[in-house]
Amino acid sequence: MQLATIKHISSKNANYGAAELYLTFQHDEFTNKPVLDDKGRMVPRDDFRMETILCGDEDFAIACMRANLKYGKNNQRGDVKSHHYIISFDPRDGTENALTMDKAQQLGVDFCREHFPGHQALVCTHPDGHNHSGNIHVHIVINSLRIEDVPFLPYMDRPCDTQAGMKHRCTASALRYLRSEVMEMCQRENLYQIDLLNGSKNRITEREYHARRRGQQELDELNQQIIADGLTPRRTKFETDKDIVRGNIRAALLAAKSFEEFQELLEERGISVRESRGRFSYLTADRTKPITARKLGDDFSKEAVLEQISRNAEQALHEKSSIPSALKVLPAVSTQPHSSPSGLDRIVDMNYAQSKGEGYAHWATLHNLKTMSATLIAYHEAGFESPEALDAALAEAHDAVTDARKKVKSFESVIKERKELRRQIQIYRKAAPLYEEYKQIKRKSKQEDFYRTHEPDFILRESAIRYFQSHDIKKLPGAKALNAEIEDLISQENEAYNVYHSAQDHEKELRAIKQNIDRMLSREQPKQTEQTRFAKKKHRHDPKL
């Protein structure tokens, strides 16, 4: 499953038209070479949306080259000519959250205008990715050169980053800031999202991703030949070297109750654990250089490994002192929000089904039998002993949704306040050099002339001071500390946001069970169709009846 992510690629290619060709024509997913038809012509993509920004009536490539000539930039081979950002959305957003190509394109354009102002840009949306999972994604390609003066943005760390004729820099802090903004965008638009700021359990690099896909394709072709020969393939899923290491480490972690046992289990699998500067790395028999835990993912770090081993040891100790396992007949109840329901159908009103015709009524009868069976299975698996217990669970689930929503809203208000503080601090600090210069002027007439020249900046500075006073802020926080605080709040908001959606899914699941149970027990009267309402009305007004 791929949740919303943002990826950055810098390019030194002086041919700006290559980006447009890649976005508008089909390319081989492994070689990135154009796909040609029988006559050697490039094949256009089936569906895409495209828009240019700050290019006027010219296309993206010509506009970028004109700007480079004007400012004398991007004329060396080693210069970064463009930056390519890709925002990929979860495949479920299209079916569950009404994300369309047009909406994704507009989100991409708005994101580009807000975070890359002053840059010529090409924004293009595609309906699917390389893996054909149905994930809508947006490409944002910007000229590295800035052609307009822009406000000082939170990810900028130098005054020249706001000036026309200077170049965009994607630093680690800038990319972290953009990730937080993608998270907020998805939360605002009610889209699926994960925490992009605190690493990933399995860290898959671009190189490993493509190596896995190439290996899978080669394995599939080999298996087709094996099947054609009447044999059964021994292996159907390709794994990279890192995948194999991850699998072996996880298998060892399931059984290890001490670090020494963990080392012994890995050594049996041909893997040795090394520690350097407080970090783990793993060396296989066929390698001379170990693989660091950071390259495998957060699940394989020293902290995560020792924490899992500690849990295993506590669980083993608890099992020894607990009641005999033969008496453990009930499964443990998870306190975490339930996962999204698999999709329990609703029982169809047979009065309505019969009004649609004999064929539809026959289908509805079979559908209702299957749905009743699935409902009863879900009802008993959830552990309900009576409809009243289901009603109580539904009320509790509704309260959980309400509480989770309030928590998300509380984070939203705090983040909004901290962002406004950041904006006011930026305004105040931008005007600080002007104010110092203003104070150095001795003659009052020159002071007044200077003030009139820079009056908008001084008015904004005075407004920022009033904001600080109204919020009783006497010492301004540093930019890095404030950005880190906002990112931490966004991570917490994202966690609360996902809990809220899980609680919503659980409530929907229980509500579907309740509606079906009520209909099966005749506790809920079927809604009148247009036909039955008309018949009753006719019965009331017809004197013959």
Side-chain angles (χ1 to χ4, degrees):
M1 182 184 301
Q2 178 179 355
L3 300 176
T5 60
I6 182 170
K7 182 171 66 174
H8 168 258
I9 305 168
S10 59
S11 173
K12 298 180 180 179
N13 188 356
N15 181 11
Y16 288 92
E20 189 169 355
L21 288 177
Y22 174 79
L23 296 175
T24 55
F25 289 90
Q26 295 182 28
H27 282 66
D28 184 270
E29 52 188 333
F30 295 108
T31 64
N32 272 340
K33 293 182 178 179
V35 176
L36 305 178
D37 60 13
D38 296 338
K39 297 181 180 180
R41 296 173 300 189
M42 297 176 66
V43 181
R45 290 184 183 270
D46 296 330
D47 190 15
F48 62 89
R49 306 286 188 275
M50 180 172 286
E51 183 174 338
T52 58
I53 299 174
L54 292 182
C55 294
D57 297 329
E58 298 177 326
D59 65 25
F60 176 70
I62 294 176
C64 290
M65 288 188 287
R66 287 188 187 278
N68 292 342
L69 287 172
K70 177 181 177 181
Y71 290 98
K73 295 291 181 71
N74 289 335
N75 49 19
Q76 300 295 322
R77 182 183 295 273
D79 292 340
V80 174
K81 312 299 190 306
S82 62
H83 293 270
H84 190 163
Y85 292 90
I86 306 172
I87 301 175
S88 298
F89 297 97
D90 190 284
R92 296 173 297 172
D93 285 326
T95 55
E96 299 180 21
N97 297 325
L99 180 68
T100 62
M101 289 270 289
D102 293 327
K103 182 177 179 181
Q105 173 72 4
Q106 189 58 52
L107 289 175
V109 170
D110 294 342
F111 189 89
C112 181
R113 293 185 186 277
E114 179 180 359
H115 300 293
F116 311 119
H119 289 274
Q120 295 152 317
L122 187 66
V123 183
C124 182
T125 299
H126 291 158
D128 200 358
H130 286 316
N131 53 2
H132 303 294
S133 62
N135 61 311
I136 297 174
H137 59 279
V138 183
H139 297 263
I140 301 175
V141 183
I142 65 170
N143 185 9
S144 61
L145 179 69
R146 190 178 300 105
I147 64 171
E148 292 180 353
D149 290 338
V150 299
F152 194 85
L153 298 177
Y155 68 82
M156 297 176 177
D157 53 10
R158 303 183 307 182
C160 64
D161 289 336
T162 65
Q163 299 171 6
M166 305 304 291
K167 297 182 65 173
H168 172 76
R169 295 186 312 128
C170 183
T171 61
S173 59
L175 190 56
R176 185 176 176 84
Y177 169 79
L178 294 174
R179 286 174 181 152
S180 70
E181 291 298 298
V182 168
M183 289 170 62
E184 277 214 286
M185 177 185 70
C186 291
Q187 293 161 15
R188 184 176 64 249
E189 300 296 330
N190 196 34
L191 304 175
Y192 283 103
Q193 183 53 47
I194 55 173
D195 191 347
L196 300 176
L197 299 175
N198 293 317
S200 58
K201 294 182 178 180
N202 289 329
R203 185 167 288 106
I204 309 298
T205 63
E206 191 78 7
R207 178 179 294 181
E208 184 182 359
Y209 169 77
H210 288 292
R212 183 187 290 175
R213 296 189 65 251
R214 284 193 297 269
Q216 186 64 49
Q217 185 186 45
E218 293 171 0
L219 182 61
D220 291 341
E221 293 174 355
L222 178 62
N223 286 341
Q224 287 177 0
Q225 296 176 2
I226 295 174
I227 294 172
D229 295 336
L231 302 174
T232 302
R234 296 180 59 187
R235 190 170 57 125
T236 58
K237 182 179 179 181
F238 177 82
E239 290 182 313
T240 63
D241 292 341
K242 290 182 180 178
D243 283 332
I244 296 172
V245 172
R246 292 187 187 101
N248 284 326
I249 296 174
R250 284 204 166 96
L253 276 176
L254 285 175
K257 299 175 183 62
S258 66
F259 182 68
E260 291 74 18
E261 185 180 359
F262 174 65
Q263 285 180 306
E264 291 175 3
L265 290 171
L266 279 184
E267 286 175 359
E268 292 175 2
R269 293 170 168 81
I271 302 173
S272 60
V273 186
R274 298 185 176 187
E275 182 178 358
S276 175
R277 299 180 181 178
R279 299 176 182 175
F280 279 175
S281 61
Y282 304 89
L283 180 64
T284 58
D286 58 340
R287 292 176 61 97
T288 57
K289 185 178 180 181
I291 303 173
T292 62
R294 185 180 62 84
K295 292 183 179 179
L296 295 174
D298 292 346
D299 275 358
F300 311 97
S301 65
K302 178 181 177 181
E303 295 77 10
V305 167
L306 296 181
E307 182 180 354
Q308 181 61 45
I309 292 174
S310 176
R311 282 199 298 266
N312 292 347
E314 290 178 4
Q315 184 177 358
L317 185 63
H318 175 71
E319 288 176 355
K320 288 182 180 180
S321 60
S322 60
I323 59 176
S325 58
L327 300 178
K328 298 178 183 178
V329 294
L330 293 177
V333 178
S334 173
T335 58
Q336 296 297 321
H338 288 61
S339 59
S340 177
S342 57
L344 185 64
D345 293 328
R346 305 293 173 86
I347 294 176
V348 177
D349 182 2
M350 290 306 299
N351 291 333
Y352 172 76
Q354 290 169 1
S355 71
K356 300 290 287 185
E358 185 178 349
Y360 189 87
H362 177 70
W363 170 87
T365 302
L366 297 177
H367 169 82
N368 285 352
L369 289 173
K370 294 178 182 178
T371 303
M372 288 178 186
S373 175
T375 300
L376 290 174
I377 291 173
Y379 179 82
H380 289 296
E381 284 183 348
F384 299 121
E385 298 179 353
S386 66
E388 289 72 24
L390 174 58
D391 293 340
L394 183 58
E396 185 179 347
H398 180 73
D399 292 341
V401 171
T402 303
D403 293 341
R405 179 176 176 80
K406 287 180 180 177
K407 191 171 183 180
V408 172
K409 289 296 181 183
S410 67
F411 277 115
E412 287 179 357
S413 61
V414 174
I415 291 171
K416 185 177 180 180
E417 290 175 1
R418 303 309 288 173
K419 282 192 169 184
E420 178 60 22
L421 172 61
R422 181 172 64 185
R423 190 180 74 86
Q424 295 292 346
I425 291 175
Q426 289 171 351
I427 291 171
Y428 178 79
R429 287 176 175 163
K430 180 183 176 182
L434 291 174
Y435 185 71
E436 290 298 323
E437 187 176 351
Y438 170 78
K439 289 195 301 182
Q440 297 298 325
I441 300 175
K442 302 300 182 182
R443 293 180 59 180
K444 187 174 181 180
S445 59
K446 287 188 176 182
Q447 261 194 347
E448 292 173 353
D449 292 340
F450 186 85
Y451 185 91
R452 281 193 295 270
T453 303
H454 302 282
E455 187 172 7
D457 294 308
F458 285 118
I459 292 175
L460 290 173
R461 178 182 178 276
E462 291 163 6
S463 174
I465 292 174
R466 288 195 296 271
Y467 176 86
F468 301 145
Q469 292 173 345
S470 65
H471 289 77
D472 196 26
I473 299 173
K474 298 179 180 178
K475 183 178 180 181
L476 301 182
K480 289 185 178 180
L482 186 56
N483 285 338
E485 180 187 355
I486 292 173
E487 289 170 0
D488 183 59
L489 286 169
I490 291 173
S491 291
Q492 295 180 54
E493 180 193 26
N494 183 76
E495 183 179 350
Y497 171 82
N498 289 328
V499 168
Y500 167 64
H501 274 277
S502 296
Q504 269 190 323
D505 290 339
H506 182 42
E507 184 189 17
K508 288 177 183 177
E509 185 179 19
L510 293 180
R511 196 171 297 281
I513 295 174
K514 173 179 167 53
Q515 289 180 357
N516 288 345
I517 291 291
D518 286 348
R519 183 157 289 184
M520 291 164 64
L521 297 176
S522 300
R523 294 173 64 187
E524 176 185 89
Q525 294 297 325
K527 294 182 179 179
Q528 295 181 4
T529 63
E530 289 294 330
Q531 186 174 349
T532 55
R533 279 199 296 268
F534 177 76
K536 289 183 178 181
K537 184 177 180 181
K538 183 178 180 181
H539 179 82
R540 287 197 305 269
H541 295 286
D542 193 337
K544 296 180 183 179
L545 300 176

